[in-house]
Amino acid sequence: PAGGGGLSVRDLRVSYGPVQALRGVSLEVPDGSVAAVLGSNGAGKSTLLRAVSGTLRFHRGSVTAGSVEHAGRPLTGSSAPAVVARGITQVPEGRRVFGRMTVAENLRAGALGVRGRKAAAAAREHVLELFPVLAERAGQRAGLLSGGEQQMLAIGRALMARPRTLLLDEPTLGLAPLMAARIAETVRRINAEGTTVLLVEQNAAMALSLASHAYVLEVGEVVMSGPAGELAASDEVRRRYLGEG
Ligand code: ATP
C-alpha cells in the first residue's frame, strides 16, 4: 500500500447501550512504530481495539463520535472484513484459535481474504519461519497446543493476511515469563520487518520496553501519554502500573 500515515484515532467515543466505554480517545501510531496502551481492567483497552478492527458490533457496541484513519484514509465504521482488506488485523484477547481445527487450517483461515496463491504461500512461509513450532505441529489440533503456542498461532494467523498494522490485545496474558519474553521478542521482530503495532497490555513493563510511545487509559479516557521511556520513568506510572513503591 502506498503512503504513510499509520493509524490515527481522534476523539473516539464508544458506547455499549447506556454504558459509555470510550469518552473521547485520541492517539497516533506513526507508520512503522509500536504504540502501547496501558490501563487497568475495564479502562477501555479492548474497546479501543474493537473500534479499530470493526468488531465492536459483535459486542453490541457502537462508535458514537470521532474517527479512525489508517494510511491516510478514513476507516471509521468499516466492517471487520473491510478493515482486514485495508491492512489491519487483530490478535484477539485470550488467544482465540479454532481449537478443533488443525494448526495449518487455522493459518489458512487467516489467509482467506488474501488474493493470490503466491501471496498466501509467502505469508505462510514467513509465519512458519517466525514460529517454527507451528510447522512441527501443522497437523495437530490447535486446542492441544500450550498457551504460548496458541498465542503464536493467533499471531501467525493474523500475519497471514500480511497486515500493515497489527493490533495485539494482551498477548502475554497468562503466559509464563519465559514464554512472555519470547512473544515480546517476536513482536519486536515483526515491527523491525516493517509492521506497525498497536499493543494493549496490562504488563506495563513489557509494553513500555517494546513501544516508542505509550498511552494510559483510565475509565475511557487518556490520562497520560508520552514517549515510552518517559512514562517508564514517571513516578505515577511506576507506582500504579509497574508495581513499584
Ligand atoms: P480488560 O483488560 O478487563 O478487558 P479493558 O481495558 O479492555 O479491560 P474494556 O473491556 O474495553 O476494558 O471495557 C471498558 C468498559 O466497557 C467497561 O466498563 C466494561 O464493563 C464495558 N464493556 C465492555 N464490553 C461490554 C459489552 N459487550 N457490553 C457492555 N459493556 C461492556
Side-chain angles (χ1 to χ4, degrees):
L7 178 70
S8 147
V9 172
R10 293 197 194 101
D11 200 27
L12 196 67
R13 290 162 201 268
V14 170
S15 293
Y16 298 100
V19 179
Q20 203 183 351
L22 295 185
R23 303 161 181 272
V25 167
S26 298
L27 58 84
E28 296 288 332
V29 192
D31 197 32
S33 73
V34 179
V37 176
L38 316 177
S40 33
N41 275 329
K45 305 184 297 300
S46 297
T47 299
L48 172 66
L49 293 192
R50 289 171 188 161
V52 174
S53 65
T55 55
L56 206 48
R57 64 191 72 180
F58 306 130
H59 302 268
R60 298 170 190 274
S62 55
V63 172
T64 59
S67 65
V68 180
E69 206 174 84
H70 185 243
R73 289 168 57 204
L75 194 73
T76 327
S78 301
S79 69
V83 172
V84 173
R86 291 277 307 279
I88 302 180
T89 57
Q90 179 173 15
V91 181
E93 191 177 11
R95 56 192 94 98
R96 262 169 281 140
V97 295
F98 303 119
R100 290 165 178 276
M101 286 165 45
T102 66
V103 167
E105 287 165 347
N106 269 271
L107 292 180
R108 229 172 287 141
L112 282 180
V114 177
R115 278 169 185 275
R117 256 188 216 187
K118 269 191 184 165
R124 185 182 147 88
E125 202 167 304
H126 174 234
V127 167
L128 296 181
E129 196 236 322
L130 270 177
F131 302 116
V133 69
L134 298 183
E136 289 161 25
R137 303 285 164 86
Q140 202 173 88
R141 274 166 62 162
L144 299 175
L145 301 178
S146 74
E149 289 163 351
Q150 288 187 12
Q151 185 59 271
M152 292 177 189
L153 180 55
I155 295 174
R157 191 180 55 191
L159 290 176
M160 287 296 290
R162 318 209 92 187
R164 183 178 182 118
T165 298
L166 189 64
L167 311 175
L168 284 163
D169 198 347
E170 309 257 15
T172 67
L173 189 69
L175 299 183
L178 197 64
M179 186 53 79
R182 280 183 64 187
I183 296 293
E185 195 40 53
T186 307
V187 173
R188 202 168 276 128
R189 187 169 153 205
I190 290 166
N191 172 247
E193 290 169 352
T195 307
T196 306
V197 176
L198 178 57
L199 169 68
V200 157
E201 259 298 338
Q202 283 198 49
N203 181 345
M206 199 276 265
L208 291 174
S209 78
L210 284 173
S212 54
H213 214 84
Y215 298 81
V216 179
L217 264 190
E218 279 307 328
V219 214
E221 280 176 304
V222 174
V223 294
M224 225 187 301
S225 67
E230 273 176 33
L231 286 195
S234 125
D235 283 342
E236 194 178 348
V237 169
R238 296 174 77 96
R239 205 172 47 239
R240 296 190 60 171
Y241 303 100
L242 297 171
E244 296 173 17

